[in-house]
Amino acid sequence: MRERRNKEKKERAPFELLTKICIAYGVLLAAGLIGLILHFIVIPMYREEKFCNLVQEMTEDERRLLLNEFPDYADRIKEGKLYTSQYRKLEEIRFGMDYLERKYPGYKFRMNYIDGWPVTFDVCSISEEISGRDFKMNIWENEDEEFEAEDNFYGYFVEEQYTEYLMEQFSKREESVVQVTVRMPAMKGEKYGSNITIEDIISGKLDVGPKMDVYVAEKNLSKDECSKYKKKMEQVIEQINLSGIYNIWFLDLTKEEVFETDEYGTSIYQFTIQW
């Protein structure tokens, strides 16, 4: 009987050891989780409660944006009693508006809302009154905890002229091209302001990474024939030699039908060339 008990005890020993290890690991994991909660949530909340900034004046837009970001603190925000993170957000809003007004003098901007991307940057939705244009601005903090920003409003000043220039270049080389549209969504900093010109882009002085839609009118082409056409369009883009993403759309229309109706109908084939 004693030998049997000793045998069972030996057989249970590894499982008992494993159980103790699991319990110890669980305790350490729980302690670590509690530490993280204290470090990232409880202590910052205590600091937030302790440090408060009294803001005497805020614009309606600044107050609106803060209320959107911190809806649970509406009363305090309306009174101008901002915790540290709220005051930092107000500084960010003011920096962004100053950045835009400095970069594009004479234009009137409204920050609609802010989308925060954890640990990276905030994406701000902006409207400009004079142009009627909506665009984006990114704001982040650098290593020195100073704000920096980029935006894509600069496209408003050059997209139309650049479209005309590209249309002229395509028309010289491929008569079936009936329309070109240009978008400049890339986010850019201080160098890309209201004084940007198409010469800056054509010369390569400034790289805007444009996206172009090129419409080709070729009625009754099969998809295989359109696919073979790709080589020809690649050669045309190589001759133009301007960087960007070219989306080529084949329309099941003649050039005359496009000009008569000013409609593009249904595309029968599409491919993309990045140059």
Side-chain angles (χ1 to χ4, degrees):
M1 181 67 72
R2 181 177 296 175
E3 290 179 358
R4 183 178 177 181
R5 286 184 191 145
N6 290 336
K7 183 178 180 181
E8 290 176 350
K9 188 174 181 180
K10 288 180 180 180
E11 290 175 349
R12 290 197 307 269
F15 297 100
E16 291 175 351
L17 178 61
L18 180 62
T19 301
K20 290 178 181 178
I21 292 173
C22 290
I23 292 173
Y25 180 77
V27 170
L28 290 173
L29 185 63
L33 182 60
I34 291 171
L36 289 173
I37 293 172
L38 287 171
H39 181 74
F40 289 104
I41 299 177
V42 177
I43 294 176
M45 285 177 63
Y46 170 76
R47 289 174 178 169
E48 289 286 293
E49 193 67 38
K50 187 174 179 181
F51 298 105
C52 176
N53 297 271
L54 182 61
V55 180
Q56 299 290 349
E57 294 184 5
M58 277 191 287
T59 67
E60 287 301 317
D61 278 347
E62 289 171 348
R63 189 175 288 107
R64 171 181 54 81
L65 290 165
L66 287 178
L67 289 171
N68 288 341
E69 288 285 302
F70 307 97
D72 295 335
Y73 297 89
D75 291 339
R76 297 187 63 91
I77 290 172
K78 290 175 182 177
E79 295 172 358
K81 298 176 181 178
L82 306 183
Y83 294 135
T84 304
S85 62
Q86 296 161 358
Y87 186 74
R88 189 59 173 163
K89 183 63 66 175
L90 177 61
E91 290 181 322
E92 178 184 339
I93 293 167
R94 290 176 172 175
F95 168 84
M97 296 305 292
D98 288 344
Y99 161 87
L100 291 173
E101 290 166 2
R102 182 177 67 253
K103 188 176 178 184
Y104 308 105
Y107 287 83
K108 299 179 181 180
F109 301 97
R110 182 181 190 270
M111 190 177 293
N112 300 315
Y113 60 86
I114 303 171
D115 281 339
W117 290 51
V119 194
T120 52
F121 55 86
D122 285 341
V123 181
C124 307
S125 170
I126 311 292
S127 295
E128 199 290 310
E129 181 180 324
I130 298 172
S131 65
R133 191 179 182 104
D134 296 327
F135 63 99
K136 301 294 184 183
M137 172 175 63
N138 294 342
I139 303 178
W140 68 95
E141 289 188 45
N142 60 26
E143 294 179 353
D144 298 323
E145 298 185 347
E146 297 174 341
F147 289 118
E148 295 186 24
E150 291 179 335
D151 69 280
N152 56 14
F153 184 59
Y154 65 89
Y156 168 73
F157 302 95
V158 73
E159 282 175 353
E160 184 175 344
Q161 300 96 308
Y162 194 62
T163 297
E164 293 174 356
Y165 177 80
L166 273 181
M167 184 62 198
E168 180 183 345
Q169 298 303 308
F170 273 104
S171 298
K172 289 178 181 178
R173 297 169 173 84
E174 179 50 57
E175 62 178 14
S176 60
V177 173
V178 292
Q179 181 64 286
V180 176
T181 62
V182 176
R183 291 169 289 120
M184 298 180 181
M187 309 300 282
K188 299 294 181 179
E190 296 277 0
K191 292 182 180 180
Y192 297 72
S194 57
N195 58 347
I196 188 173
T197 66
I198 62 170
E199 286 75 20
D200 292 331
I201 302 171
I202 295 169
S203 66
K205 178 181 178 182
L206 295 179
D207 179 16
V208 298
K211 294 184 178 181
M212 283 76 69
D213 289 307
V214 181
Y215 297 91
V216 179
E218 285 288 353
K219 193 168 185 175
N220 297 325
L221 280 187
S222 67
K223 289 186 177 180
D224 287 340
E225 289 172 322
C226 292
S227 180
K228 293 176 182 177
Y229 212 107
K230 180 178 180 180
K231 186 65 176 177
K232 184 176 183 181
M233 292 303 297
E234 287 176 341
Q235 292 172 349
V236 170
I237 291 171
E238 183 178 0
Q239 292 169 10
I240 295 173
N241 194 28
L242 291 173
S243 64
I245 297 174
Y246 295 80
N247 296 308
I248 314 298
W249 302 87
F250 285 87
L251 309 176
D252 193 19
L253 296 168
T254 65
K255 192 172 183 179
E256 291 71 25
E257 286 173 333
V258 172
F259 291 150
E260 287 174 4
T261 63
D262 198 28
E263 295 181 0
Y264 296 95
T266 303
S267 62
I268 54 176
Y269 190 77
Q270 186 271 332
F271 61 86
T272 300
I273 299 173
Q274 184 163 357
W275 185 256

